[in-house]
C-alpha cells in the first residue's frame, strides 16, 4: 500500500525548507531575476540546512543519512516554490555528489565527496544537455575516446548550471558509436582542465538569476580514473538511465513548486480583485480556471511521488519518471499562463511575479539533467 503521508522526519524537513523558502528565498526572487544573479548570502544560508551534505557518508565528512527520492522531491518542490533559479543554484552540487555516491568507485568517493561536505557552499554541476535541434539523451553528440590511459572528450554542452563556478563538472558523453543509454558514461572534469572552455553565459527567457553556460570540450583529456564507476563503467552499465530518472523526478517536483506558487498568487489575487461589485474569483470562468489549476498541480505531484516511491524501493521507474516529468512540463506552462490570464493586465507587468513564473515554467519542456533528488 502506498502511503501519502510523509514520515515525521520528512514532514520536519519539509516544514523547515518551506519556512526558508517563504522567509528567505521568496523576498529575494524578484530582485535576483532583475539583477541576473543569485545573492551568495541566501545560498550559504540554504547550504547550512544540509540538503546536500546530509547524504554524504560520515567517513567523508557528511551526516550519513539515507538518501530518499521522496524526501528530495518534497525539498525540491518547496525550494522551487520560493524561486526556481535559487533552488537550482542551491541544489546544483547534488548533480555531482549523488551520482558519485550512487555509482562512483571508492577512490572517487574519497576524492570528491569531502569537497561538498563542509560548512561552506561549493559549486558543482553536470553537463548533460547539448545545443542541437535533435538532442537526444540516448544519442549524445559529445564523445569520449580512450587514449593511453586517459579519455579525450569532445563536443559542446549547454544549460550547464554554474558552469564557470563548478569545481567539478560531471560530463556525460558517448564512449562508442552505439545509440542508447548503455553507450553513455560520465566523466569527472575539474574546473580549469585543459580543453574545457566556458563559451559564454547563456541569455535565457527564464532562469535569469541562474548562471547557465555553454561549454566546449576541445579534446579535453581526463584520467581514466575520472570515469564515473571506473573502467567497469558504472554509468554505462544501466546507471545513466537511473540517474536520468532521478533527474526527471527532481524537475517534476520543481515544476509542481513553480505551478503552486503561481496558483496561490492568482487565487489570492482573485479573492481581492473586485469587478462590478464582486471578487473576480466568484466569477464562474475564473473559479473553474482556478479549480482546474489546483487539480492539475495535485495530479502532477502524485505522479512525481509515485516515481520517487519506486526509486526508493529500487524498482524500475523509467516509465513513471518520464510520465511525471512530461506531464509536469505541460502542467506548469498551463498553470502559469492561466495565472497571468487571471491577473489580466497586471499579469503582464514585472511588479507581479506571475510573468517570471511563466518564463521559468516554459523551460521545463527542454530541461534535462539539471536537477536531481
Amino acid at each position: 500500500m502506498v502511503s501519502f503521508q510523509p514520515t515525521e522526519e520528512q514532514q520536519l524537513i519539509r516544514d523547515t525548507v518551506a519556512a526558508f523558502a517563504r522567509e528567505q528565498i521568496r523576498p529575494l526572487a524578484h530582485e535576483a531575476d532583475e539583477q541576473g544573479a543569485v545573492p551568495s548570502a541566501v545560498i550559504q544560508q540554504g547550504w547550512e540546512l544540509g540538503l546536500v551534505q546530509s547524504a554524504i557518508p560520515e567517513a567523508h565528512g557528511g551526516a550519513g543519512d539515507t538518501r530518499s527520492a521522496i524526501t528530495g522531491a518534497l525539498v525540491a518542490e518547496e525550494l522551487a516554490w520560493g524561486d526556481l533559479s535559487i533552488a537550482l543554484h542551491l541544489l546544483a552540487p547534488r548533480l555531482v555528489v549523488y551520482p558519485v555516491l550512487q555509482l562512483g568507485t571508492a577512490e572517487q568517493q574519497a576524492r570528491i565527496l569531502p569537497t561538498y561536505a563542509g560548512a561552506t557552499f561549493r559549486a558543482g554541476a553536470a553537463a548533460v544537455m547539448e545545443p542541437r535541434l535533435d538532442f537526444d539523451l540516448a544519442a549524445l553528440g559529445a564523445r569520449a575516446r580512450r587514449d593511453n590511459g586517459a579519455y579525450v572528450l569532445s563536443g559542446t554542452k549547454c544549460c550547464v548550471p554554474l558552469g564557470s563556478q563548478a569545481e567539478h563538472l560531471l560530463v556525460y558523453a558517448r564512449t562508442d558509436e552505439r545509440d542508447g543509454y548503455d553507450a553513455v558514461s560520465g566523466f569527472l572534469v575539474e574546473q580549469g582542465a585543459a580543453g574545457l572552455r566556458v563559451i559564454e553565459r547563456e541569455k535565457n527567457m527564464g532562469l535569469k538569476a541562474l548562471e547557465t553556460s555553454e561549454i566546449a570540450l576541445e579534446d579535453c583529456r581526463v584520467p581514466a580514473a575520472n570515469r564515473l564507476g571506473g573502467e567497469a563503467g558504472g554509468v554505462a552499465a544501466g546507471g545513466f538511465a537511473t540517474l536520468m530518472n532521478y533527474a526527471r523526478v527532481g524537475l517534476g517536483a520543481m515544476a509542481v513548486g513553480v505551478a503552486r506558487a503561481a496558483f496561490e498568487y492568482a487565487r489570492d489575487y482573485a479573492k481581492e480583485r473586485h469587478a462590478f461589485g464582486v471578487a473576480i474569483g466568484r466569477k464562474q470562468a475564473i473559479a473553474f480556471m482556478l479549480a482546474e489549476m489546483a487539480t492539475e498541480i495535485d495530479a502532477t505531484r502524485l505522479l512525481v511521488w509515485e516515481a520517487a516511491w519506486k526509486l526508493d524501493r529500487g524498482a524500475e521507474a523509467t516509465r513513471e519518471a518520464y510520465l511525471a516529468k512530461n506531464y509536469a512540463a505541460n502542467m506548469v506552462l498551463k498553470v502559469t499562463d492561466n495565472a497571468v490570464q487571471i491577473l489580466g493586465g497586471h499579469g503582464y507587468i514585472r511588479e507581479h511575479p506571475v510573468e517570471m513564473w511563466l518564463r521559468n515554467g516554459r523551460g521545463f519542456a527542454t530541461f534535462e539533467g539539471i536537477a536531481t533528488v
Side-chain angles (χ1 to χ4, degrees), residues 23-177:
E23 297 167 8
Q24 305 297 330
I25 294 180
R26 178 63 69 81
L28 299 174
H30 175 76
E31 187 63 21
D33 187 72
E34 292 289 327
Q35 297 298 321
V38 174
S40 58
V42 75
I43 295 299
Q44 181 57 35
Q45 286 178 295
W47 186 257
E48 291 168 4
L49 295 177
L51 302 177
V52 176
Q53 312 94 301
S54 60
I56 297 176
E58 293 181 7
H60 300 308
D65 294 342
T66 302
R67 177 187 176 189
S68 165
I70 291 179
T71 304
L74 296 173
V75 167
E77 177 184 336
E78 296 301 334
L79 289 176
W81 178 91
D83 181 64
L84 182 60
S85 292
I86 294 175
L88 288 168
H89 188 129
L90 176 58
L91 298 181
R94 284 183 172 183
L95 300 173
V96 174
V97 170
Y98 284 3
V100 169
L101 188 63
Q102 186 173 341
L103 300 172
T105 64
E107 184 276 331
Q108 289 169 349
Q109 292 179 6
R111 174 160 51 95
I112 302 296
L113 296 181
T115 302
Y116 302 96
T120 303
F121 176 82
R122 306 283 285 272
V128 179
M129 296 174 62
E130 298 176 349
R132 298 161 44 207
L133 290 175
D134 60 346
F135 168 66
D136 183 351
L137 287 172
L140 294 179
R143 296 292 197 274
R145 172 173 54 86
R146 193 79 159 86
D147 182 58
N148 293 328
Y151 283 92
V152 178
L153 307 182
S154 60
T156 306
K157 295 290 186 177
C158 66
C159 203
V160 180
L162 312 185
S164 69
Q165 307 174 38
E167 298 189 32
H168 300 94
L169 284 174
L170 182 54
V171 178
Y172 293 98
R174 272 204 281 183
T175 51
D176 59 47
E177 294 305 313

Side-chain angles (χ1 to χ4, degrees), residues 77 80-81 84 251-263 292-293 295-301 304 324-340 354-367:
E77 177 184 336
W81 178 91
L84 182 60
L251 287 168
M254 288 187 170
V256 171
V258 172
R260 199 184 98 215
F263 162 72
E292 184 178 7
M293 291 159 70
T295 301
E296 290 293 296
I297 291 168
D298 283 3
T300 307
R301 183 184 294 110
V304 170
K325 195 265 183 182
N326 186 61
Y327 197 89
N330 292 325
M331 177 278 298
V332 69
L333 180 58
K334 182 177 182 179
V335 169
T336 53
D337 185 61
N338 282 352
V340 171
V354 288
E355 61 83 27
M356 178 182 70
W357 291 326
L358 175 58
R359 288 187 283 107
N360 288 345
R362 188 65 186 88
F364 280 97
T366 59
F367 295 155

